[in-house]
């Protein structure tokens, strides 16, 4: 069987969960008997500029990995209109490779037209689409939050969507939805990594028999991960909490820092926070907000910046617990299962797909967007870990959901 994994970008350029999932599935398939796999990843011009007339690039050293140059894209309609460039090159690739299965991991960059080209060029191939987020439903970067204040959305309503994107019209939203639904009709199987995301698409009108729930595979090497030993520290040393995500408003770092500030103002000193994540794409106002909170916390927080995926096990070894304070629905956040595989407890916002993943992994929930609730859980963790270090046995005060 010939399988083609189609990713919105190379993980080396855009280190997100979607890109990592596509790469992991491809590399796992390379070792399977009777399987031939290829990864075709989009390469937008801001990742790597192609030469004149060049359609395909080889920017990685990975086996059977090819990049297709993307020069322009309509992010609102999720539409690739370059018939004579990108879509023709994609068609030529399909005709040459002749895959039995085409697994799309997003509608970005090849767009809804990419699925149509795949169906037309390979009419007998099985076409899959993993819905890694809510882009198909939500034109606001697939976040399903309101642009004005970050409030959560449960579905797309044209008049409400206009409040986020006033430059669009009702006709624009109707055409966007029509084009995306038409593309999804050409897919043999839609895959939802979380039940919560599946429910959102069912509410959007996707028939239940067309969408299955299947969690994302862990990256290569993580399935066999041996849990790390507890962090080597003195009994009286501070507990170290880790944050692992890009520093963006929807990832909720501000909630964590506000919770930490609340603890500090109560005289709690037995903790430190290590922030692992880049703020490269964060709005300037949000950077200023995080900087102001960090200044008030002083030595209690350290900004470690972005990290390579290969560094993650070592970084997890340096923390006692991981906090995931996202203020949007998430889907199947990989850090939850990676931290658990590494033997690190998770404190997670009880919200959407994040709550689902956290409960499955036996994490510690707190009320989403609620710094006071998170502070309470952090304090309980600090106190309970301290009594364990002292050899004292007592009934835990943590509210643990879904313990396995």
């Amino acid at each position: 069987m010939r399988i083609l994994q189609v990713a919105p970008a190379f993980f080396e350029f855009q280190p997100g969960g979607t890109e990592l999932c596509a790469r992991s599935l491809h590399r796992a398939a390379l070792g399977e008997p009777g399987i031939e796999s290829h990864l075709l990843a989009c390469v937008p011009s801001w990742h790597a500029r192609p030469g004149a007339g060049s359609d395909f690039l080889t920017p990685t050293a990975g086996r059977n990995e090819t990049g297709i140059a993307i020069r322009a894209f309509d992010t609102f309609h999720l539409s690739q209109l370059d018939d004579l460039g990108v879509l023709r090159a994609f068609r030529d690739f399909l005709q040459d490779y002749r895959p039995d299965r085409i697994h799309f991991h997003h509608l970005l960059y090849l767009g809804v037209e990419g699925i149509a080209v795949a169906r037309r060029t390979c009419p007998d191939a099985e076409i899959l689409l993993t819905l890694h987020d809510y882009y198909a439903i939500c034109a606001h970067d697939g976040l399903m939050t309101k642009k004005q204040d970050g409030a959560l959305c449960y579905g797309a309503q044209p008049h409400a969507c206009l409040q986020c994107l006033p430059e669009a019209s009702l006709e624009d939203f109707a055409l966007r939805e029509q084009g995306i639904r038409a593309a999804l009709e050409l897919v043999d199987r839609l895959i939802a990594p979380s039940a919560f995301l599946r429910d959102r698409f069912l509410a959007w009108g996707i028939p239940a028999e067309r969408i299955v729930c299947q969690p994302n595979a862990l990256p290569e090497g993580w399935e066999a991960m041996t849990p790390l030993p507890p962090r080597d520290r003195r009994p009286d040393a501070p507990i170290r909490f880790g944050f692992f995500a890009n520093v963006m408003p929807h990832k909720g770092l501000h909630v964590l820092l506000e919770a930490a500030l609340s603890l500090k103002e109560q005289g709690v000193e037995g903790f430190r926070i290590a922030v692992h994540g880049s703020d490269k794409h964060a709005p300037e106002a949000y950077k200023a907000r995080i900087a102001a909170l960090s200044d008030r916390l002083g030595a209690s927080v350290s900004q470690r910046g972005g990290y390579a995926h290969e560094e993650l096990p070592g970084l997890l070894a340096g923390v006692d617990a991981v906090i995931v304070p996202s203020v949007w629905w998430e889907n199947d956040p990989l850090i939850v299962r990676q931290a658990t595989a590494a033997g690190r407890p998770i404190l997670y916002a009880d919200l959407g797909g994040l709550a689902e993943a956290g409960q499955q992994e036996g994490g510690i929930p707190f009320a989403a967007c609620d710094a006071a609730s998170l502070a309470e859980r952090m304090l309980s963790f600090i106190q309970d870990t301290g009594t364990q270090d002292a050899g004292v046995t007592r009934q835990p005060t943590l509210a643990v959901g879904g313990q396995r």
Side-chain angles (χ1 to χ4, degrees), residues 77-120:
H77 290 100
L78 296 179
S79 179
Q80 177 54 257
L81 300 178
D82 187 0
D83 291 325
L84 298 179
V86 174
L87 296 178
R88 181 182 62 182
F90 183 47
R91 180 203 64 196
D92 293 346
F93 185 95
L94 293 172
Q95 289 175 338
D96 181 61
Y97 185 59
R98 294 176 290 110
D100 300 298
R101 174 184 294 164
I102 306 169
H103 189 164
F104 288 90
H105 287 269
H106 216 288
L107 294 175
L108 281 173
Y109 305 134
L110 286 178
V112 294
E113 293 82 7
I115 290 180
V117 168
R119 175 53 73 209
R120 189 163 57 245

Side-chain angles (χ1 to χ4, degrees), residues 226-232 316-319 342-344:
T226 300
L228 300 166
R231 185 171 71 90
D232 186 18
L316 287 170
V319 301
R344 292 299 181 258

Side-chain angles (χ1 to χ4, degrees), residues 7-10 13 40-50 55-59 66-71 109:
F10 278 110
F13 287 106
L40 181 67
C42 298
V43 184
S45 57
W46 55 90
H47 286 171
R49 186 164 53 187
D55 293 315
F56 296 105
L57 307 90
T58 54
T66 303
I68 181 169
I70 304 294
R71 295 171 177 83
Y109 305 134

Side-chain angles (χ1 to χ4, degrees), residues 6 26 77 82 116 119 124 140 148-149 194 212 269 300 312-313 320 328-329 347 368 394:
V6 183
H26 160 64
H77 290 100
D82 187 0
R119 175 53 73 209
D124 297 325
H140 177 215
Q148 307 93 309
D149 58 7
S194 69
V212 299
E269 297 288 348
S300 296
L312 184 56
D320 299 293
W328 75 298
W329 299 118
L347 283 69
R394 74 172 190 179

Side-chain angles (χ1 to χ4, degrees), residues 24 31 36 42 51 73 80 86 100 106 126 171-172 185 221 233 244 270 294 333-334 336-337 346 389 391 393 399 402:
S24 298
E36 183 177 341
C42 298
F73 184 70
Q80 177 54 257
V86 174
D100 300 298
H106 216 288
E126 180 186 29
E171 290 78 11
D172 290 330
E185 285 293 328
R233 66 181 186 84
F244 295 85
S294 297
L334 195 53
V336 171
R337 287 188 290 125
I346 291 283
D389 289 339
T393 302

Side-chain angles (χ1 to χ4, degrees), residues 7-66:
F10 278 110
F11 181 74
E12 288 81 355
F13 287 106
Q14 187 167 295
T18 298
E19 292 75 17
L20 184 57
C21 179
R23 190 183 77 172
S24 298
L25 288 174
H26 160 64
R27 293 186 177 178
L30 287 175
E32 294 292 326
I35 299 292
E36 183 177 341
S37 181
H38 204 104
L39 174 66
L40 181 67
C42 298
V43 184
S45 57
W46 55 90
H47 286 171
R49 186 164 53 187
S54 174
D55 293 315
F56 296 105
L57 307 90
T58 54
T60 75
R63 178 179 155 203
N64 294 0
E65 297 183 8
T66 303

